[in-house]
Amino acid sequence: MTTVIHRPNRRAALGLAGALLAAPALRAQTAWPNGPIRIVVPFAPGGSTDVVARLAAPGLTRRLGQPVVVENRSGGAGSIGADAVAKSRPDGQTLLLTFDSHAVLAALLPRLSFNLTEDLDPVMLIGGAPYVIGTRADKPYRGLGDLVAAAKARPDGVSYASAGNGTLGHLTMILLQARTGVSMPHIAYRGGGPAVSDAIAGNVEAVIGSAALLMPQVEGGALRALAQFGPARLPSLPAVPTAEEAGFPGLQAVAWWGVFAPAGTPAPIVARVNAALRETFEAEDLRRQLEQTQQARLVLSDPGGLKTFFDQQIETWGRVVRDNNVRPD
């Protein structure tokens, strides 16, 4: 009798071996999340980024089935918290929710300990709010053109406040001065609150900050908004022109919030986080809160949308930092 020896097909054997090796990874991926999820906010409590994260956390907890906790790790213009996330395990248990200044870190801090685009993967662009420039209500300025005219008439005599060197407010005013040929002294504060307070006190002629920062004082009558730097007027500032409408085409600056994960986080986990964020922010009560308290226009992009936007922000504002040798406070 002839004995027939069946030799296993090499391709099938390799496929079986690959499946066996992949099984633990697939099981781990399916089990995600398998413990508390940290959202690192790289700024102190109380700012807009912290507010956005804490508003989102309860909804994410419900949708992901694990506690979502917000951890503030401030310092280094946001670089310390971002670095901690960049060096975390890419398992979906640690996320970064950060602000517009994230895009200028590499230009502002040449010795940055991580790579903005290689060490962090985009998850979602949540949305943004325009920067607004305002003055004390009893100042004579009625629009951005009036402020520029005064700066031309009084070189170095029209000062403005911002939340600090290298913030988008500061960089926007650098662009404005370059376009108009005026020189306006910059008074950098450690945060938006003190900058607004000194503008109300009359110690500076103007203040620039996010719409969320200035709106309470504008609505209360202490400040007058001269221009907003978004692509369109906010519903809450219908009578205040955009900078483009005021005669400064292309001059836009938007405060934005984005979510990132450590590079290498599995795509299915990133997709699930993105979906949970979208469902959370689309809830009517949360959307209304963000629109009213942060003057936010929600975008809720996919990861690719954040990547495209973020790359553009790095290019635009990084160039301003480098060309003007801007350094942090």
Side-chain angles (χ1 to χ4, degrees):
M1 184 175 69
T2 303
T3 302
V4 179
I5 300 176
H6 295 280
R7 299 185 182 276
N9 178 276
R10 177 178 172 81
R11 182 175 296 176
L14 289 174
L16 177 61
L20 290 172
L21 289 171
L26 288 173
R27 283 197 297 272
Q29 186 169 300
T30 303
W32 182 89
N34 54 19
I37 297 168
R38 287 190 308 151
I39 296 180
V40 175
V41 171
F43 305 104
S48 69
T49 311
D50 182 61
V51 169
V52 171
R54 293 184 188 278
L55 285 173
L60 291 174
T61 296
R62 289 194 300 273
R63 289 169 174 85
L64 296 175
Q66 290 286 351
V68 175
V69 296
V70 176
E71 178 182 320
N72 298 91
R73 299 193 65 172
S74 60
S79 65
I80 291 176
D83 176 77
V85 176
K87 293 174 179 174
S88 295
R89 290 181 61 186
D91 56 6
Q93 300 297 132
T94 303
L95 302 168
L96 175 72
L97 199 161
T98 191
F99 192 54
D100 57 44
S101 57
H102 187 65
V104 302
L105 285 178
L108 201 61
L109 304 170
R111 295 182 181 179
L112 193 65
S113 57
F114 66 97
N115 188 290
L116 284 177
T117 57
E118 294 180 5
D119 295 336
L120 290 165
D121 287 345
V123 177
M124 172 181 279
L125 173 61
I126 296 171
Y131 274 82
V132 173
I133 187 166
T135 63
R136 199 167 82 168
D138 62 359
K139 295 286 184 181
Y141 318 114
R142 297 290 165 178
L144 186 56
D146 293 341
L147 191 70
V148 170
K152 286 182 177 179
R154 293 186 287 138
D156 293 321
V158 179
S159 60
Y160 74 93
S162 82
N165 281 341
T167 60
L168 256 62
H170 176 210
L171 302 182
T172 301
M173 293 301 289
I174 288 176
L175 288 180
L176 177 67
Q177 292 172 85
R179 287 193 180 194
T180 58
V182 301
S183 177
M184 300 172 65
H186 174 222
I187 312 299
Y189 291 80
R190 293 190 179 276
V196 169
S197 295
D198 256 17
I200 293 172
N203 296 327
V204 291
E205 290 294 287
V207 58
I208 185 167
S210 71
L213 176 66
L214 267 62
M215 276 304 296
Q217 302 302 331
V218 171
E219 291 176 338
L223 291 178
R224 176 188 298 120
L226 302 182
Q228 48 189 312
F229 291 89
R233 298 187 188 193
L234 283 172
S236 55
L237 290 173
V240 179
T242 66
E244 292 189 325
E245 291 172 332
F248 303 93
L251 189 56
Q252 292 188 16
V254 175
W256 55 268
W257 306 276
V259 177
F260 295 82
T265 300
I269 292 178
V270 170
R272 191 170 170 197
V273 173
N274 183 279
L277 285 165
R278 180 180 300 278
E279 291 173 9
T280 295
F281 286 115
E282 283 180 342
E284 184 60 31
D285 58 340
L286 184 53
R287 177 182 286 271
R288 190 182 311 112
Q289 276 187 285
L290 287 170
E291 289 173 346
Q292 292 175 354
T293 64
Q294 303 301 317
Q295 305 301 314
R297 285 193 176 101
L298 295 185
V299 176
L300 308 182
S301 77
D302 59 17
L306 173 54
K307 174 175 170 46
T308 298
F309 174 81
F310 186 53
D311 288 347
Q312 179 268 326
Q313 291 287 293
I314 290 174
E315 170 63 23
T316 297
W317 299 113
R319 188 187 315 119
V320 178
V321 170
R322 290 187 296 271
D323 289 351
N324 295 277
N325 195 30
V326 176
R327 288 291 172 261
D329 297 333

